[in-house]
């Protein structure tokens, strides 16, 4: 039976926050047990999802109150992550569940997205509350884009996947990433768009999933896919901060997985603004950033 294991590395040292996080993981696990593993009727899933949403909303309010109490400088950006989860991500997941009559894939998406969001949010955003990470980035300055972009990704990647993640240099189309999976997200601003592509090898993807779920993975399933997709979103939202004068200057317009041919075609048609190659314990992965006009 698939398990979503709570890990001590998720603790940030604030009891009310850590206990809520453990409870949220337990709720997701319960939904998986009832609907994915035991194939019980959708009523159990409906009630579990309602409970997850209600408990998450309560937790966000408590965590935000704690941040205000200690005068946390990254409060506004952190609250934005909560608001997006409440107002955009969870409602979209629920709409898909009801539209598909609680299909297995829709439930897998719910489980994967919630697990990935919790993991990325805890390790990148929540740890920063108690000084264990970086809360936000300075706006990009002319001539200094690359250093900011490296900072935007490297430290959060190390928070999630360990200190073994290191920046190597520029990623070129000829660089090989065996059995790569390709993910794209496009953010829209008032004057331009930002397009991000992530290329990550299957072995590294499964290793990352093992860190998120606390167990070994030999093959990629839909839950792993959606969890990794959500962690990528969390990293890209960190990048987004560097390009807007206001907290909500950029909004996610679209995201999807790409076929290898489509990914390579993008490189042939236009070299990305920045393309970064990272080494990791089980292979390499690349993050490409490009600026697009708003049409």
């Amino acid at each position: 039976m698939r398990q979503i294991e709570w890990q001590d590395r998720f603790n940030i040292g604030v009891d009310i926050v850590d206990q809520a996080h453990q409870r949220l993981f337990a709720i997701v696990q319960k939904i998986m047990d009832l609907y994915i593993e035991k194939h019980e009727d959708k009523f159990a899933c409906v009630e579990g999802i309602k409970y997850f949403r209600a408990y998450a909303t309560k937790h966000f309010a408590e965590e935000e109150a704690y941040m205000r109490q200690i005068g946390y400088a990254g409060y506004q950006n952190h609250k934005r992550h909560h608001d997006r989860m409440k107002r955009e991500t969870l409602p979209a997941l629920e709409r898909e569940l009801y539209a598909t009559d609680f299909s297995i894939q829709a439930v897998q998406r719910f489980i994967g997205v919630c697990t990935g969001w919790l993991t990325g949010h805890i390790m990148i955003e929540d740890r920063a509350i108690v000084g264990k990470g970086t809360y936000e980035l300075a706006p990009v300055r002319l001539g200094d884009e690359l250093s900011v972009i490296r900072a935007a990704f490297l430290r959060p990647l190390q928070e999630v996947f360990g200190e073994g993640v290191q920046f190597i240099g520029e990623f070129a189309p000829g660089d090989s990433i065996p059995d790569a999976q390709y993910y794209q997200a496009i953010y829209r601003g008032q004057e331009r768009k930002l397009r991000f592509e992530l290329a990550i090898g299957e072995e590294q993807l499964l290793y990352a999933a093992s860190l998120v779920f606390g167990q070994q993975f030999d093959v990629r399933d839909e839950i792993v896919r959606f969890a990794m997709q959500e962690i990528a979103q969390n990293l890209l939202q960190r990048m987004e901060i560097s390009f807007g004068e206001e907290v909500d200057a950029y909004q996610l317009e679209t995201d999807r997985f790409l076929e290898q041919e489509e990914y390579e075609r993008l490189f042939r048609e236009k070299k990305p603004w920045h393309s970064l190659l990272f080494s990791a314990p089980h292979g390499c992965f690349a993050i490409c950033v490009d600026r697009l006009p708003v049409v």
Side-chain angles (χ1 to χ4, degrees):
M1 180 182 294
R2 178 65 48 80
Q3 294 290 318
I4 302 173
E5 298 287 349
W6 173 261
Q7 302 168 59
D8 288 342
R9 72 191 186 106
F10 293 157
N11 288 319
I12 71 168
V14 180
D15 286 344
I16 192 172
V17 174
D18 291 335
Q19 291 167 10
H21 290 161
Q22 291 185 48
R23 185 61 181 162
L24 287 169
F25 271 93
I27 296 169
V28 175
Q29 177 64 56
K30 188 66 174 179
I31 295 171
M32 181 183 291
D33 289 346
L34 291 174
Y35 202 70
I36 302 295
E37 303 291 348
K38 297 181 180 177
H39 305 290
E40 294 192 7
D41 63 52
K42 70 179 182 182
F43 176 77
C45 189
V46 171
E47 293 304 305
I49 289 166
K50 286 181 180 178
Y51 185 40
F52 180 91
R53 183 182 65 235
Y55 195 86
T57 300
K58 175 177 178 290
H59 162 60
F60 293 161
E62 291 175 343
E63 190 172 270
E64 288 163 15
Y66 176 77
M67 287 188 286
R68 292 193 300 271
Q69 177 186 340
I70 65 172
Y72 176 51
Y75 170 79
Q76 288 296 336
N77 179 58
H78 197 121
K79 186 177 185 301
R80 179 185 64 165
H81 286 274
H82 289 172
D83 290 344
R84 279 183 171 173
M85 186 62 169
K86 288 187 299 184
R87 299 171 185 173
E88 299 175 22
T89 304
L90 284 175
L93 291 171
E94 290 189 66
R95 285 194 298 271
E96 181 183 11
L97 286 166
Y98 282 100
T100 62
D101 196 28
F102 287 75
S103 67
I104 290 294
Q105 186 181 42
V107 177
Q108 288 176 326
R109 180 187 291 272
F110 182 90
I111 292 168
V113 168
C114 290
T115 303
W117 189 90
L118 283 168
T119 301
H121 187 75
I122 290 169
M123 297 303 292
I124 297 172
E125 302 298 336
D126 288 342
R127 283 168 57 83
I129 297 174
V130 291
K132 296 180 180 179
T134 55
Y135 74 88
E136 65 180 59
L137 300 162
V140 168
R141 296 172 183 170
L142 186 63
D144 194 34
E145 295 98 337
L146 182 57
S147 63
V148 174
I149 290 170
R150 286 173 54 186
F153 287 120
L154 183 57
R155 189 60 220 163
L157 284 167
Q158 290 173 339
E159 291 285 349
V160 178
F161 301 132
E163 295 292 335
V165 176
Q166 298 296 328
F167 174 69
I168 298 177
E170 184 177 2
F171 175 69
D175 294 334
S176 176
I177 299 179
D179 301 318
Q181 305 290 315
Y182 305 96
Y183 172 69
Q184 179 189 84
I186 298 177
Y187 286 89
R188 183 185 183 94
Q190 194 170 27
E191 298 181 355
R192 62 184 172 183
K193 296 181 182 180
L194 298 174
R195 184 177 68 196
F196 303 88
E197 278 96 26
L198 169 68
I200 183 169
E202 184 85 357
E203 184 177 354
Q204 181 59 38
L205 180 68
L206 294 176
Y207 173 74
S210 72
L211 291 178
V212 171
F213 288 90
Q215 62 172 288
Q216 186 66 39
F217 282 86
D218 297 318
V219 295
R220 177 175 65 89
D221 63 15
E222 289 299 291
I223 291 177
V224 169
R225 173 190 168 192
F226 293 130
M228 293 299 102
Q229 179 180 353
E230 192 61 27
I231 289 176
Q233 279 284 357
N234 199 301
L235 292 169
L236 297 180
Q237 287 170 5
R238 297 279 302 167
M239 182 70 217
E240 171 193 356
I241 301 166
S242 299
F243 292 88
E245 296 179 358
E246 299 177 0
V247 169
D248 293 315
Y250 285 85
Q251 297 291 328
L252 178 66
E253 183 175 79
T254 182
D255 71 299
R256 62 193 177 98
F257 283 88
L258 305 175
E259 296 297 328
Q260 181 177 355
E261 294 79 8
E262 186 177 9
Y263 181 81
E264 292 174 349
R265 178 173 57 79
L266 289 172
F267 265 94
R268 289 196 302 269
E269 292 177 351
K270 182 178 182 292
K271 183 180 178 181
W273 176 37
H274 288 297
S275 53
L276 308 158
L277 184 63
F278 297 86
S279 65
H282 292 267
C284 298
F285 60 92
I287 297 173
C288 301
V289 186
D290 208 356
R291 293 182 290 192
L292 306 174
V294 174
V295 294

